Amino acid sequence: MRHSLTDLAGLKISAEDFLAAVLEAAEQPIWVVDREDLIRFANPAALTALGYSADELFGRHSAETIHRSADGTPPPAADLLAPRDTGEPVASNMDWFVRRDGSMFPVSYVSSPIEMPEGRGAVVAFTDAEDRVRGEQVRHEHESILAAQRRVAALVSGGAASAEVFAAIAREVGHVVDLPLIAVWRYESDATATVIGAWSEQPHPFQPGTRWPLDGPTICTRVLETGGPARIEDFSKLPGTIAGAAREAGVRACAGAPIIVDGGVWGAMSADSTVRAPLPERIEDRLGEFTALVATAISNTTGQEEIARLADEQAALRRVATLVARGVPPPEVFAAVAREVGLLLAVDATHMARYELDGTATGVAAWSPTGGQIPVGTRVPMDGESVAGLVLRTGRPARLHGYEHASGAGAALGRQLDLTASVGAPIVVDQRLWGVMIASSKGDRLLPADAESRITAFTELVATAISNTEARTQVAQLANEQTALRRVATLVARGVASAELFDAVTAEVGRLMGADLAGMIRYETDDTVSPVATWAAAGEHPEVPEHWPTEEGDPATMIANTRGAVRVDDWHDVPGPIAGFIRELGITASVGSPIVVEGRLWGALAVHVQHGDPLPADAESRLRNFTELVATAMANGRARAEIERLAEEQAALRRVATLVARESSAAEIFGAVTEELGRVLHVDDTKMVRYEPDATATVVASWGRLDTTIAVGTNWSLEGDSTSATVHRTGRPARMDDYGDATGPLAAFLRGIGIRSSVATPIVVGRRLWGAMIAASRRPEPLPETTESRIAEFTALAATAIANIEARSDLAASRARIVAATDEERRRVVRDLHDGAQQRLVHTILTLERAHRALENDAPGAWALVTDALGHAKGANDELRE
């Protein structure tokens, strides 16, 4: 049931209170005006929306303080107060109210009549329509953009020319955003940007086709760097060519958005403003809505060209791939690739080069439509600035935009051919940089922006051809190498003589490497090398010296210092007699590898060429396979000799040890030790000497093959130079490798009987230097380095024998001393018994006899005699105990 306000009088609350409560609870802004248009009430929502407090708002005229028309003038009072007179509600979908701060905001409202005590008033409920108005504006703007986009899309789909499409886009954008200058830019590869479309109602310098350097922080530069929209509010102080031209045209601010084609920043669209036309707030987003159309236009415009280009490129690649699949020689493939790349990129010259180990590049193919190219076979140093040098240093594609000021041999050749720009891509074969493919232009002709990637498709085919050729060559090479290694390994397994093995290895290596000469050397102890095998492809090897002295910087010394392979591609500046001999043979390049036997440098194996072609790049590793076989053969031979030597040595030691265990005489043991040692060491003379207190040495045993020697029992002075004298002074092993300059009578005697070298080892008995064991040789080479340790095993047995002999002698003497001492002690005991206890006992007996007689006769003093006898008896007992 509905009630009017006048029907509420019977309720507990007044109508005014009830109305106030209802309006207070409403969420929609509401106020109440009376008959006189005075605001009598407003709920919190209305106060908040209008920006007033209740005290400020109540009692004011609504038409004067709140209600305005769209142009700001007060509307007729009837618009808002009509319900007071008519009793009928009124409504408006769009009107404007003014806040307390003077700002206007759009509203929609409903005004309804209300009965009040003073007469009929009105209740006004309103809604903020700002979001709706903004939406309508956006919708209108969006419809304008869509209409412009439809017009441009019609041009694009109709296949209009690029210039017409870009000009239309610029014009449509200018009308939509209402800015005086719109331009569409394309980025170039040389840090410039070209205007491809523009619109303006006033003169400006940014005409289509003009090219501008990106030499300042302009919109084009910022968009290119960030890949996103950008805005510049003030051009007044910006440096650069574009900024200067914009200022002259009256441009004060600019916004831009990127044109993204195939995932990359292809260009930009810019919108410029003047003082009279500031930049709108969302101009970058609105430009972005048109850049998609630009990208589509670019894709459609270039699509047919791209299809044709791809077809040509695929046809060219198929022709080259067919050559590769047929296995034609690499030079034919190289020439075909140079021609196909040149025609495909429409350049003035193409060159293909192979990188050499000496830092140069050799031309392997070239093409030019006019014949202006570097001849095949030309070798160019990779110094200075050149595309080939950049690719060599970085391993990546490279460009060179001018040869005018470039340095180096490659740049000089480019100037001779009038080349102005070049681009190169690496040729990578099995993950190593093999060479480079270069395309060059003359005059003002620009190289394609994607030249690097298009060349790469061909370089991959070149790499495949090279890899296939190298693989076939490598298979044959490996087969030959394995065959040669098996032949050498068979000789090693058979244990052939060293000379036969060395000759076979040198010949196999020379033939396998395609060398002219090959040789094997052995390192001597006196800083010389000796040839042990030679080979020549053309027959007899030239005669070689028996020894060469080494010199710092020559290949033999380099191998010895590094223990690694050494390559020499130019012998002109190599020092030393070895290098001089090699130059006399006309050798131009060599590779040598060390022969290391059981961790010790034994020798080296080398191959040489007498012509310009270098040795294979893998010559070092291939030589190593043969040097390892030589080392194995040497180690096997040494192992067999070592086993025989150890067996012989152990048998000799067992024989001597048996004599020691049987407690043979010193002379027999000393003689056996000396003879066994001489036979084991294969020397000419052995001696055992005993050191005397007067600084001399006595020969206690001798063995030898000499007619004249020092006999057993001979005593010699330890003055002068000799191994026995050195052992006597130091207590350590001593060696004399040459008695030529030795002093002293013993040294003179040894020289006289032909002794060249000797080794002596101390004989130590009970930590006492007893003597020495000496081995001497007439051979010119010194005794082996192991001689000291081998003698030491025999001196240990000799020391044991000497210690045993001395121990037995000391034991016999000790026993004699014990027997003599026992006899003496026995005599002393007998003497002590006779002179001490025996005398006391006799005295005791005599005293007791006297006491007995005295007791029988009752003579006085009998008990005194008994006491005296008792004392003598106790004394005798104590002496017997001792």
Side-chain angles (χ1 to χ4, degrees):
M1 182 176 181
R2 299 181 63 186
H3 296 276
S4 67
L5 292 178
T6 57
D7 295 333
L8 300 176
L11 300 177
K12 298 295 184 182
I13 61 173
S14 66
E16 291 82 0
D17 291 338
F18 176 76
L19 178 62
V22 171
L23 298 179
E24 186 82 19
E27 294 182 359
Q28 186 177 10
I30 299 174
W31 80 76
V32 179
V33 296
D34 62 10
R35 180 70 184 174
E36 302 298 327
D37 191 27
L38 296 177
I39 298 175
R40 302 296 298 273
F41 178 83
N43 67 349
L47 295 174
T48 300
L50 298 171
Y52 286 91
S53 66
D55 293 339
E56 294 173 329
L57 187 63
F58 291 174
R60 300 177 69 86
H61 285 281
S62 65
E64 296 177 354
T65 60
I66 300 172
H67 189 209
R68 291 287 188 273
S69 61
D71 59 2
T73 60
D79 290 347
L80 189 63
L81 302 179
R84 295 178 307 173
D85 299 330
T86 64
E88 298 294 331
V90 296
S92 174
N93 287 328
M94 177 57 65
D95 213 328
W96 295 84
F97 283 2
V98 181
R99 299 185 183 92
R100 183 180 182 280
D101 60 6
S103 61
M104 296 176 60
F105 66 103
V107 297
S108 60
Y109 68 85
V110 174
S111 178
S112 300
I114 183 173
E115 298 295 333
M116 303 180 69
E118 297 85 359
R120 185 183 295 156
V123 177
V124 181
F126 65 91
T127 301
D128 188 341
E130 189 168 7
D131 290 341
R132 180 166 56 83
V133 171
R134 184 180 298 110
E136 290 178 355
Q137 290 175 342
V138 170
R139 180 176 59 80
H140 176 72
E141 181 180 307
H142 184 62
E143 288 176 352
S144 300
I145 293 174
L146 288 177
Q149 288 178 339
R150 281 194 294 271
R151 289 189 291 272
V152 173
L155 290 175
V156 172
S157 61
S162 299
E164 183 182 353
V165 172
F166 297 143
I169 290 175
R171 182 178 63 253
E172 295 290 351
V173 172
H175 290 157
V176 169
V177 302
D178 194 24
L179 287 175
L181 177 58
I182 307 296
V184 181
W185 304 78
R186 180 184 68 230
Y187 293 122
E188 309 295 350
S189 60
D190 57 354
T192 62
T194 301
V195 179
I196 60 174
W199 173 88
S200 179
E201 293 180 346
Q202 60 190 33
H204 65 90
F206 304 106
Q207 296 299 320
T210 58
R211 198 163 183 171
W212 299 83
L214 300 178
D215 55 358
T218 61
I219 282 296
C220 288
T221 302
R222 293 187 180 182
V223 170
L224 178 62
E225 291 175 348
T226 64
R231 169 189 288 250
I232 297 177
E233 298 288 355
D234 188 3
F235 264 86
S236 60
K237 297 181 180 180
L238 286 184
T241 306
I242 295 179
R247 282 193 296 271
E248 293 179 1
V251 174
R252 293 294 178 268
C254 183
I259 300 171
I260 307 298
V261 178
D262 297 332
V265 180
W266 182 91
M269 179 180 290
S270 64
D272 298 335
S273 69
T274 62
V275 175
R276 295 192 305 271
L279 290 174
E281 290 184 1
R282 296 170 44 251
I283 182 62
E284 301 96 319
D285 298 336
R286 296 164 73 183
L287 289 177
E289 295 179 357
F290 281 90
T291 56
L293 273 178
V294 178
T296 302
I298 294 167
S299 297
N300 289 349
T301 302
T302 59
Q304 296 301 322
E305 298 176 357
E306 181 68 14
I307 291 172
R309 183 184 69 80
L310 287 175
D312 293 342
E313 187 170 316
Q314 291 302 314
L317 287 170
R318 279 195 299 272
R319 287 191 292 269
V320 175
T322 300
L323 296 178
V324 174
R326 284 167 46 198
V328 301
E332 187 176 342
V333 176
F334 299 160
V337 168
R339 181 177 181 277
E340 295 287 359
V341 169
L343 293 174
L344 192 65
L345 299 182
V347 294
D348 296 298
T350 56
H351 296 88
M352 187 186 300
R354 179 186 66 238
Y355 292 124
E356 308 295 352
L357 296 175
D358 59 356
T360 63
T362 301
V364 296
W367 174 89
S368 172
T370 60
Q373 72 266 7
I374 302 172
V376 174
T378 303
R379 200 159 184 170
V380 183
M382 292 293 95
D383 57 344
E385 300 173 73
S386 67
V387 168
L390 290 172
V391 172
L392 176 61
R393 289 189 287 273
T394 65
R396 298 190 298 272
R399 279 183 181 248
L400 189 63
H401 295 293
Y403 285 90
E404 296 84 358
H405 306 293
S407 61
L413 286 173
R415 286 192 291 271
Q416 290 178 14
L417 296 175
D418 295 327
L419 302 180
T420 55
S422 295
V423 61
I427 300 172
V428 179
V429 180
D430 297 332
Q431 298 184 345
R432 63 181 171 86
L433 183 61
W434 182 91
V436 62
M437 183 71 211
I438 304 171
S440 304
S441 63
K442 298 180 180 180
D444 297 331
R445 180 181 295 179
L446 297 177
L447 291 168
D450 58 350
E452 291 90 337
S453 60
R454 297 172 70 184
I455 294 175
T456 300
F458 288 89
T459 60
E460 290 173 354
L461 281 175
V462 172
T464 301
I466 296 169
S467 181
N468 291 347
T469 302
E470 290 184 349
R472 289 191 293 270
T473 303
Q474 190 172 11
V475 168
Q477 172 187 302
L478 285 174
N480 294 335
E481 185 171 328
Q482 292 303 313
T483 301
L485 286 169
R486 280 195 297 273
R487 287 194 291 265
V488 173
T490 301
L491 296 177
V492 173
R494 284 168 46 198
V496 299
S498 298
E500 182 181 352
L501 176 66
F502 299 157
D503 288 339
V505 169
T506 306
E508 293 285 1
V509 167
R511 284 191 291 266
L512 192 65
M513 300 291 180
D516 298 308
L517 300 170
M520 187 185 300
I521 60 170
R522 182 183 68 230
Y523 288 94
E524 308 293 352
T525 58
D526 56 352
D527 294 329
T528 63
V529 295
S530 301
V532 296
T534 58
W535 172 87
E540 291 294 327
H541 191 285
E543 187 176 352
V544 296
E546 291 184 1
H547 297 279
W548 277 303
T550 59
E551 183 174 324
E552 191 66 31
D554 69 11
T557 305
M558 287 190 284
I559 290 174
N561 291 340
T562 64
R563 295 293 183 93
V566 170
R567 177 183 287 264
V568 178
D569 291 323
D570 187 354
W571 283 95
H572 286 94
D573 298 325
V574 181
I578 297 177
F581 179 79
I582 288 175
R583 282 192 291 271
E584 291 177 2
L585 297 180
I587 292 172
T588 58
S590 304
V591 173
S593 181
I595 300 172
V596 179
V597 180
E598 297 177 344
R600 183 177 66 86
L601 180 65
W602 180 87
L605 179 62
V607 290
H608 315 277
V609 291
Q610 295 173 311
H611 48 77
D613 293 340
L615 286 159
D618 58 349
E620 291 88 340
S621 60
R622 296 168 67 186
L623 276 179
R624 192 179 303 117
N625 294 331
F626 288 89
T627 58
E628 289 173 355
L629 275 177
V630 174
T632 300
M634 296 292 294
N636 290 348
R638 290 189 176 187
R640 288 192 294 270
E642 183 69 12
I643 292 172
E644 295 174 359
R645 182 188 67 78
L646 286 173
E648 181 183 359
E649 189 170 307
Q650 293 302 314
L653 288 171
R654 281 196 299 272
R655 289 191 290 271
V656 174
T658 300
L659 293 177
V660 173
R662 286 165 45 194
E663 296 185 355
S664 302
S665 65
E668 185 179 0
I669 293 174
F670 294 163
V673 169
T674 306
E675 180 178 355
E676 294 287 1
L677 180 62
R679 297 187 183 281
V680 166
L681 296 181
H682 302 285
V683 294
D684 298 299
D685 188 79
T686 52
K687 295 281 188 294
M688 183 187 295
V689 299
R690 180 183 65 241
Y691 292 126
E692 306 296 349
D694 59 354
T696 61
T698 301
V699 178
V700 297
S702 176
W703 175 89
R705 300 184 176 91
L706 304 178
D707 297 334
T708 304
T709 185
I710 303 174
V712 174
T714 304
N715 181 268
W716 69 65
S717 172
L718 296 176
E719 297 177 358
D721 299 329
S722 67
T723 52
S724 57
T726 303
V727 171
H728 184 262
R729 288 194 301 270
T730 65
R732 294 192 297 272
R735 170 184 288 268
M736 183 76 73
D737 289 334
D738 189 358
Y739 275 94
D741 298 327
T743 62
L746 179 59
F749 175 79
L750 294 175
R751 279 196 301 272
I753 62 175
I755 296 298
R756 299 286 295 274
S757 62
S758 68
V759 171
T761 300
I763 301 173
V764 178
V765 179
R767 299 184 181 180
R768 169 175 58 90
L769 182 61
W770 183 89
M773 181 72 72
I774 307 167
S777 172
R778 285 180 167 180
R779 291 191 292 272
E781 65 272 10
L783 289 166
E785 296 177 357
T786 60
T787 304
E788 288 88 339
S789 60
R790 298 175 68 186
I791 295 176
E793 297 183 10
F794 287 88
T795 58
L797 281 176
T800 300
I802 294 168
N804 290 347
I805 292 170
E806 290 183 349
R808 291 197 298 271
S809 177
D810 292 344
L811 179 60
S814 176
R815 287 175 177 171
R817 287 194 297 273
I818 291 172
V819 171
T822 302
D823 292 342
E824 178 60 29
E825 184 65 17
R826 188 182 300 110
R827 286 192 292 272
R828 185 185 66 78
V829 171
V830 170
R831 183 171 61 253
D832 290 345
L833 288 174
H834 180 272
D835 295 340
Q838 183 177 358
Q839 293 296 327
R840 286 185 179 275
L841 289 173
V842 170
H843 189 277
T844 298
I845 293 171
L846 293 176
T847 302
L848 288 173
E849 287 179 351
R850 290 174 58 197
H852 185 267
R853 287 194 298 270
L855 289 173
E856 287 181 346
N857 299 324
D858 293 327
W863 288 106
L865 291 172
V866 172
T867 300
D868 184 39
L870 181 59
H872 282 289
K874 289 181 178 180
N877 185 53
D878 291 339
E879 289 179 0
L880 285 173
R881 284 194 181 126
E882 291 178 1

